[in-house]
Amino acid sequence: MFEPRYYKNLGLEDICHKVAEGERLTISDGERLFACPDINAVGSLAHHVRTRLHGNSAYYVVNRHINYSNICVNGCRFCAFSRKKGDPLSFELSEDEILDKIRAGGNGLTEAHIVGGCHPDLALAFFEDLVRKIRGTKPDVFIKAFTAVEIAHFAKNEGTSVKDVLARLKSAGVQMLPGGGAEVFSARVRELLCPEKLDGEGWLDVMRQAHEIGIKTNATMLYGHIETVRERLDHMAALRELQDRTGGFVCFIPLTFQPANTVLSHLPPATGVDDLKTIAVSRLMLDNIAHVKAYWVMLSVKLAQAALYFGADDFDGTVVEEKIGHMAGAESQQGMTCREIERTIRDAGLEPVERDSLFRKVFRNPASEGRLSGSPDFVWLNYD
Ligand code: V47
Ligand code: SF4
């Protein structure tokens, strides 16, 4: 399939050549890829890059998502998760409830993914204390917590700088920031969908500062609502530019918009072809970000499996309990067992590789009672 002659017929011979040579693609190349009706042609280019980077491996992580609260001062039109304070459907977990969820992960858990709304009253000291207690309870669990949007919100609430918030959370035990809250950086889209939220430059600036003090982060893009193809590509180009400077992004996660229960519920969701093409073009444009995630929660397990042949190399993880996508109508199951993930990856003809948050390979010793002991399903079976 990865045949220059084939791409010549599609008018994409130059792009095929650049991909083969590892040359950077331009925004206009990205537009031509999005416009190409031959999804297999675009997918094969992305699969070529993904295979060059990761061979036959497809990664997953034994993780758990925890949302500490859905109370949020912002009212993003695409969000079905957030509630205002006092709303009967708002929730706020206590420190003990959060620690119980961490403990329920058993010895197999390697990552806690902790995010919430921009809460009006929770002080930074609450989060510092929480992170310290998680470290004390489960020192081996990697703490990936608080989006750039939450970090900027903590700084504003606390009357301090982003730098100070990042430094304090790092010293409490935060090891990485998740990639949420990026949406699309376009000021036009943000004005219409999330005018109260930290803007695109602000999001990039928080990430830059995190990278500068040695905190790695992920990056997302929410697509499939009112954004244009050009706005998706501008978003990728902005991430690529920052990555050239800092090298701090670990994984890119295209998030397909779930419209149910949002102000935008009248919009049709992205089609499967658009989802696959977006993943493929992301892999091709983001030549300096090592990993692209097929987030099964939003994509569905079946489409995420197919995405492993369209540029994605990571399947995310066990997740256990997910609210943001499911409150917006995501039809995927709540969590996956390691066995289910491994079967899904193997059935695609790829090799499942358990990784930690930084994509270091995890080795397990089923015979040992040690730090990462237990059968791969241990995490799931210990959760009730
Ligand atoms: O920040 C909100 C987005 C994000 C909707 O970094 C929506 O490893 C779809 O960021 N439909 C949360 N998306 C998810 C996220 C994430 C997931 C997995 C791994 C990582 C990582 C990050 O979801 C939010 C927002 O950008 N979002 N509403 C919606 N209706
Ligand atoms: Fe709040 Fe995040 Fe939902 Fe926006 S997407 S309303 S910031 S919880």
Side-chain angles (χ1 to χ4, degrees), residues 245-280:
R245 291 162 60 195
T246 65
F249 289 121
V250 174
C251 181
F252 178 66
I253 308 140
L255 295 167
T256 189
F257 174 52
Q258 313 290 313
N261 310 316
T262 75
V263 176
L264 304 175
S265 60
H266 56 286
L267 294 180
T271 64
V273 164
D274 192 17
D275 284 328
L276 293 175
K277 218 184 249 183
T278 304
I279 287 172

Side-chain angles (χ1 to χ4, degrees), residues 65 78-80 111 113 144 147 177-183 197 218-220 222 253 255-259 262 293 295 298 316 322 324-325 328:
H65 282 210
F78 49 76
C79 179
E111 174 186 277
H113 171 121
K144 183 180 74 174
T147 65
L177 303 188
E183 323 314 354
K197 192 173 211 157
N218 286 339
T220 56
L222 178 68
I253 308 140
L255 295 167
T256 189
F257 174 52
Q258 313 290 313
T262 75
K293 190 189 301 290
Y295 186 41
M298 307 283 186
D316 200 77
E322 201 284 333
I324 299 170

Side-chain angles (χ1 to χ4, degrees), residues 22-307:
E23 275 176 44
R24 179 158 283 189
L25 301 188
T26 63
I27 285 183
S28 132
D29 293 334
E31 285 177 318
R32 286 165 60 208
L33 289 166
F34 266 116
C36 174
D38 186 337
I39 177 72
N40 285 323
V42 180
S44 290
L45 291 175
H47 190 62
H48 180 80
V49 174
R50 173 239 190 276
T51 306
R52 189 162 65 205
L53 290 169
H54 307 293
N56 223 18
S57 300
Y59 304 95
Y60 72 93
V61 60
V62 179
N63 67 352
R64 206 199 143 121
H65 282 210
I66 298 174
N67 299 122
Y68 56 85
S69 173
N70 65 347
I71 297 175
C72 186
V73 295
N74 296 332
C76 304
R77 316 297 184 260
F78 49 76
C79 179
F81 164 76
S82 81
R83 293 290 183 278
K84 294 294 174 212
K85 200 175 163 187
D87 186 300
L89 293 178
S90 66
F91 71 85
E92 209 176 306
L93 300 185
S94 67
E95 195 173 79
D96 282 341
E97 286 170 316
I98 296 170
L99 290 170
D100 281 347
K101 285 180 189 286
I102 300 279
R103 283 190 208 101
N107 287 335
L109 189 71
T110 68
E111 174 186 277
H113 171 121
I114 304 169
V115 295
C118 291
H119 195 290
D121 318 316
L122 290 175
L124 183 57
F126 167 80
F127 295 106
E128 288 177 278
D129 188 54
L130 173 67
V131 170
R132 284 212 168 86
K133 293 231 168 80
I134 295 173
R135 278 245 80 63
T137 309
K138 286 272 176 193
D140 295 329
V141 171
F142 199 94
I143 303 179
K144 183 180 74 174
F146 314 125
T147 65
V149 174
E150 287 163 275
I151 299 289
H153 173 74
F154 298 161
K156 192 169 161 196
N157 252 10
E158 207 73 15
T160 187
S161 63
V162 162
K163 191 175 172 190
D164 181 46
V165 170
L166 287 168
R168 281 165 65 180
L169 289 172
K170 186 182 181 200
S171 91
V174 168
Q175 290 158 295
M176 185 172 179
L177 303 188
E183 323 314 354
V184 276
F185 297 138
S186 155
R188 179 193 75 84
V189 171
R190 291 180 103 88
E191 183 53 38
L192 290 167
L193 297 190
C194 50
E196 301 92 354
K197 192 173 211 157
L198 178 70
D199 64 14
E201 280 99 64
W203 188 95
L204 288 162
D205 194 53
V206 171
M207 290 314 204
R208 180 186 57 77
Q209 295 192 57
H211 298 170
E212 278 171 3
I213 63 161
I215 303 177
K216 299 276 188 197
T217 77
N218 286 339
T220 56
M221 174 180 75
L222 178 68
Y223 69 92
H225 41 85
I226 62 162
E227 86 292 352
T228 62
V229 159
R230 176 61 195 245
E231 284 163 338
R232 291 184 197 180
L233 290 161
D234 286 342
H235 184 94
M236 294 176 203
L239 291 173
R240 190 168 73 177
E241 200 176 300
L242 180 57
Q243 181 74 339
D244 275 343
R245 291 162 60 195
T246 65
F249 289 121
V250 174
C251 181
F252 178 66
I253 308 140
L255 295 167
T256 189
F257 174 52
Q258 313 290 313
N261 310 316
T262 75
V263 176
L264 304 175
S265 60
H266 56 286
L267 294 180
T271 64
V273 164
D274 192 17
D275 284 328
L276 293 175
K277 218 184 249 183
T278 304
I279 287 172
V281 175
S282 306
R283 177 61 287 161
L284 292 164
M285 293 297 291
L286 295 170
D287 52 24
N288 55 2
I289 299 184
H291 301 282
V292 173
K293 190 189 301 290
Y295 186 41
W296 60 263
V297 167
M298 307 283 186
L299 283 174
S300 81
V301 172
K302 290 184 180 188
L303 198 62
Q305 183 189 37

